[in-house]
Amino acid sequence: MRDIAERLGLSQTTVSHVLAGNHERFRISRETVDKVWRMAGKMRYRSNALARAFRERRSRSVALAVEDLTNPFWTGLAVGAEHEADRLGYTLVVSNTGGSLQKEQQAARMLEEGRVDGLILAPIRQVDPYLSELYRAGRPIVQIDRPLRNLDVACVRTDHAAGSVLAVEHLAGRRHARIAYVGGPLRVPTYRQRREGFRRAMRRRGLKPAAEIAVDPTPEAAHRAVSRLLSGSPRPSALYTANIWLTLGALRAIQESGLAVPAQIDVVGFDDIQMADLLRYPVTTIAQDVESIGREAFKVLMQVMKGRKVPREVLLPPALIVR
Amino acid sequence: MRDIAERLGLSQTTVSHVLAGNHERFRISRETVDKVWRMAGKMRYRSNALARAFRERRSRSVALAVEDLTNPFWTGLAVGAEHEADRLGYTLVVSNTGGSLQKEQQAARMLEEGRVDGLILAPIRQVDPYLSELYRAGRPIVQIDRPLRNLDVACVRTDHAAGSVLAVEHLAGRRHARIAYVGGPLRVPTYRQRREGFRRAMRRRGLKPAAEIAVDPTPEAAHRAVSRLLSGSPRPSALYTANIWLTLGALRAIQESGLAVPAQIDVVGFDDIQMADLLRYPVTTIAQDVESIGREAFKVLMQVMKGRKVPREVLLPPALIVR
DNA sequence: ATGAAAGCGCTAACAA
DNA sequence: TTGTTAGCGCTTTCAT
């Protein structure tokens, strides 16, 4: 800017006014505006984002901490959030935590250090003094998929319980009476809510769960658990698996067992599967609107950043995809 | 820092020396160092990343422009790159271009404006004056998956041709003589190299391609093309699909045709498929070491950023996964 | 072993 | 309509 100003015999300030697009506000003459832009083009001026961010005390970027980018849920969320970020001129910094608290705190530190203006994350712990304090100190935070306990931070998520209701209704509609639930750890609100919905829907239908298990949300753990389930007696006639990895593991166990799907064992899984139509077994799924979660979370974060009041929870409806 | 200095009766400079971890270099007394750190802790000092980046003229972050985060190839790459970035104290900004030149240039602009110190990308165009000039202006760039023509920028990628050789050798070993190639647009180096490898391997085996088609790398396009292929006569006995979406589309066409796999039609696809074991049809794949590509690209970029000379190409071997 | 001072590139309050 | 000036928080050079 200084160079441009010198060559044009203007002040650096005027050049700044023009280049920042504030010529209207400062009533810079059309002529000067043109001159400045032309010279800027000729000299290949590029604004220094670092200087501007420093001066303005904001980076126009936002961090998104996801648990596992190889899971389409988190990927879709990231894509949705980036869309929205892009639309509003923000840069999205995606951080893959892999469920590590340390990496989550690293993301939080980016917020503390001003590297990003806001943070979207799915808290790993239920109660987190560090995050709580950050939030109370006025740092913009929005949660996704699951909320912190004891803290009034906005959370954007699928209506997990409603998804479970869809699953049970679907299976009950198919005359299944022995439905088993395969879920994740109950300390995670996501799984608590999915099981809660399952129980409620079963009760309403007058059914008793054939089994209820909670394992680590990995294909391996689900594989083992479901194998055991299938060799028990009486065998469940249907499985509701509460997460994509659990569904995968269950399908593997079923494949191993040689049971016929859906004749001998029926399956509904939470989280949609891209190539479900190519699978050996038709699997009905509860699809989350993943991109919307990302987009909404970003929108809510922007509101928070503007100091607006936002709803405590934004619930998005899941959809049943029958196959 | 100023506040800490004031309370301690020190200069801001000294505090900076300590907090930046440079007490050794400036021979600050043990006592002062301790005092400063304690006060920093008490006052909950957080360094201002924006100020530091501004002053140091570097952001310690790097941009990665990927084409499509819903494709496990790009996701894996991002995960690998982030691992490495993390290890070295860098922040990775992932930008999902969706194949849009505009979004690619947006990423390039982040580099120009100093928002990031380096850029990893898979160039959309073959010849790109903008990127070329950026690179020649000394901005650190590393390419992945495919290189720009006419420009000596490092490129980290799978040895595509070698992958094709694996595919053909596998099929030829299974006594297939009528192998059809289903690839992507030939303007993309990736697909050119995969087809090149296919042709070479076929020739070496004394085989003539049953067909060679190039379509948009989408399931839909592949579905249509392969349907046509399968209803032709003589029908190919095997398909080599040069990308994950092409494989998907081909499998759908096969499913529709009712042909038996692998008895009537055999398939090898480039890019591994996570749940291949659960598919109706066993599909052998050429797996890329996606995380390594990301990691290597980042490492090479660091070298470039240090001004070191780097190899023009880093080739990673693909692996055949037989199913 | 510590400090004074300059300056990174930009924005904005204020002056003219 | 344009210019002067201060200052954002930090690192670094040079003095002491």
Side-chain angles (χ1 to χ4, degrees):
Chain A
M1 285 183 176
R2 191 161 39 72
D3 294 348
I4 294 174
E6 258 164 29
R7 295 236 209 157
L8 251 34
L10 289 167
S11 77
Q12 181 261 333
T13 304
T14 303
V15 175
S16 168
H17 289 338
V18 174
L19 261 21
N22 292 329
H23 58 272
E24 306 254 275
R25 183 143 66 93
F26 293 98
R27 318 163 124 264
I28 311 287
S29 72
R30 201 54 256 129
E31 195 196 6
T32 303
V33 172
D34 288 350
K35 269 199 309 192
V36 169
W37 276 114
R38 259 200 308 274
M39 184 56 81
K42 206 167 88 189
M43 299 177 69
R44 313 215 69 240
Y45 169 82
R46 287 294 172 266
S47 77
N48 181 328
L50 264 26
R52 174 171 295 140
F54 169 51
R55 169 63 230 230
E56 291 186 325
R57 291 176 174 62
R58 60 185 202 149
S59 58
R60 286 179 184 279
S61 62
V62 158
L64 168 68
V66 298
E67 213 169 274
D68 173 16
L69 269 186
T70 67
N71 181 334
F73 172 72
W74 298 108
T75 316
L77 218 144
V79 169
E82 216 218 331
H83 255 133
E84 200 58 24
D86 206 55
R87 221 173 55 81
L88 301 173
Y90 273 74
T91 297
L92 190 73
V93 176
V94 180
S95 175
N96 201 219
T97 67
S100 134
L101 187 61
Q102 215 205 337
K103 280 229 63 184
E104 177 177 295
Q105 296 191 334
Q106 215 170 285
R109 185 161 299 259
M110 301 204 337
L111 186 59
E112 278 192 293
E113 297 183 345
R115 188 183 284 279
V116 295
D117 303 335
L119 173 62
I120 302 175
L121 87 173
I124 290 171
R125 300 191 289 184
Q126 301 314 292
V127 175
D128 194 313
Y130 183 25
L131 287 178
S132 303
E133 205 198 316
L134 249 184
Y135 181 73
R136 274 194 288 262
R139 299 292 188 166
I141 298 183
V142 164
Q143 309 177 97
I144 40 180
D145 191 55
R146 58 191 180 225
L148 279 172
R149 215 190 290 158
N150 319 323
L151 197 61
D152 208 35
V153 187
C155 179
V156 179
R157 63 175 178 89
T158 296
D159 188 339
H160 304 301
S164 292
V165 173
L166 288 177
V168 170
E169 285 298 311
H170 169 76
L171 291 173
R174 289 196 174 191
R175 305 258 163 280
H176 283 289
R178 295 193 313 283
I179 305 176
Y181 171 79
V182 182
L186 287 170
R187 79 189 113 79
V188 183
T190 309
Y191 296 115
R192 255 196 330 263
Q193 286 158 350
R194 288 179 189 174
R195 196 190 64 171
E196 197 40 48
F198 170 75
R199 287 188 165 176
R200 222 173 42 227
M202 291 290 278
R203 220 175 306 124
R204 211 180 296 149
R205 277 283 188 165
L207 295 173
K208 260 188 58 187
E212 268 187 3
I213 52 186
V215 296
D216 271 349
T218 65
E220 295 73 29
H223 189 153
R224 279 191 300 274
V226 171
S227 288
R228 221 170 301 125
L229 218 54
L230 296 181
S231 58
S233 155
R235 206 177 52 218
S237 69
L239 253 39
Y240 166 40
T241 49
N243 151 292
I244 193 168
W245 305 131
L246 299 172
T247 308
L248 266 195
L251 289 176
R252 292 203 170 118
I254 290 170
Q255 180 158 319
E256 218 169 74
S257 75
L259 292 169
V261 178
Q264 296 178 285
I265 183 85
D266 211 347
V267 186
V268 176
F270 215 108
D271 296 322
D272 197 27
I273 293 176
Q274 310 173 295
M275 345 180 178
D277 63 314
L278 291 171
L279 295 183
R280 190 182 315 244
Y281 307 127
V283 49
T284 290
T285 55
I286 311 295
Q288 306 191 58
D289 189 352
V290 290
E291 296 205 10
S292 288
I293 300 178
R295 267 199 311 274
E296 285 306 316
F298 192 89
K299 281 190 201 162
V300 173
L301 182 63
M302 289 296 290
Q303 296 303 313
V304 175
M305 279 161 47
K306 284 184 195 150
R308 304 255 172 80
K309 237 184 121 39
V310 295
R312 168 72 204 256
E313 261 193 336
V314 178
L315 290 190
L316 278 70
L320 181 78
I321 302 185
V322 179
R323 292 204 179 83
Chain B
M1 284 184 176
R2 192 160 39 71
D3 294 348
I4 294 175
E6 259 164 29
R7 297 236 207 156
L8 252 32
L10 289 167
S11 76
Q12 180 261 336
T13 305
T14 303
V15 175
S16 168
H17 290 336
V18 174
L19 260 23
N22 293 327
H23 57 274
E24 307 255 275
R25 184 143 66 92
F26 292 97
R27 315 159 131 266
I28 310 288
S29 72
R30 204 50 257 129
E31 195 196 6
T32 302
V33 171
D34 288 350
K35 270 199 310 192
V36 169
W37 275 115
R38 260 199 307 274
M39 184 56 80
K42 205 168 90 188
M43 300 178 67
R44 313 216 69 240
Y45 168 82
R46 288 292 172 268
S47 77
N48 181 327
L50 264 27
R52 174 171 295 141
F54 169 52
R55 169 63 230 231
E56 291 186 324
R57 292 177 172 62
R58 60 183 202 151
S59 58
R60 285 180 182 279
S61 62
V62 158
L64 168 67
V66 298
E67 211 170 274
D68 172 17
L69 269 186
T70 67
N71 181 335
F73 172 72
W74 298 108
T75 316
L77 217 145
V79 169
E82 215 217 331
H83 255 133
E84 200 57 25
D86 206 57
R87 223 173 53 80
L88 300 173
Y90 273 74
T91 297
L92 190 73
V93 176
V94 180
S95 175
N96 201 218
T97 67
S100 134
L101 187 61
Q102 215 204 339
K103 280 229 62 186
E104 176 177 296
Q105 296 191 334
Q106 214 170 287
R109 186 161 298 260
M110 300 203 343
L111 186 59
E112 278 192 294
E113 297 183 346
R115 189 183 283 278
V116 295
D117 302 334
L119 173 62
I120 302 175
L121 88 172
I124 290 171
R125 300 191 288 185
Q126 300 315 294
V127 174
D128 194 313
Y130 184 26
L131 287 178
S132 303
E133 206 198 316
L134 250 185
Y135 181 73
R136 275 194 286 263
R139 299 290 187 168
I141 298 182
V142 164
Q143 308 177 97
I144 41 180
D145 192 54
R146 57 191 181 226
L148 281 172
R149 214 188 293 158
N150 319 324
L151 197 62
D152 209 34
V153 187
C155 179
V156 179
R157 62 174 178 91
T158 297
D159 187 339
H160 303 301
S164 292
V165 172
L166 288 177
V168 170
E169 284 298 311
H170 169 76
L171 290 172
R174 289 195 174 192
R175 305 260 163 279
H176 284 290
R178 294 193 314 283
I179 305 175
Y181 172 81
V182 182
L186 288 170
R187 80 189 113 78
V188 183
T190 308
Y191 295 114
R192 252 192 337 259
Q193 286 158 350
R194 288 178 188 176
R195 196 189 64 171
E196 197 41 47
F198 170 74
R199 287 188 167 178
R200 222 173 43 227
M202 291 291 278
R203 221 175 305 124
R204 212 182 294 150
R205 277 283 189 166
L207 295 173
K208 260 187 59 186
E212 268 188 1
I213 52 187
V215 296
D216 271 349
T218 66
E220 294 73 28
H223 189 153
R224 279 191 299 274
V226 171
S227 288
R228 220 169 302 125
L229 216 54
L230 295 181
S231 58
S233 157
R235 207 177 53 219
S237 69
L239 254 38
Y240 166 39
T241 50
N243 152 292
I244 193 167
W245 305 130
L246 299 172
T247 308
L248 266 194
L251 289 176
R252 292 202 171 120
I254 290 170
Q255 181 158 318
E256 218 169 73
S257 75
L259 292 169
V261 178
Q264 295 177 288
I265 183 84
D266 211 347
V267 185
V268 177
F270 215 107
D271 296 321
D272 197 27
I273 294 175
Q274 310 174 295
M275 345 181 177
D277 62 314
L278 291 171
L279 295 183
R280 189 182 316 246
Y281 307 127
V283 49
T284 290
T285 55
I286 311 296
Q288 306 191 57
D289 188 353
V290 291
E291 295 205 10
S292 288
I293 300 178
R295 268 199 311 274
E296 285 305 315
F298 192 89
K299 281 190 202 164
V300 173
L301 182 62
M302 288 297 289
Q303 296 303 312
V304 175
M305 279 160 48
K306 285 183 195 151
R308 303 256 172 80
K309 237 186 123 39
V310 296
R312 168 73 206 256
E313 261 193 337
V314 177
L315 291 190
L316 277 69
L320 181 79
I321 301 185
V322 180
R323 292 203 179 83

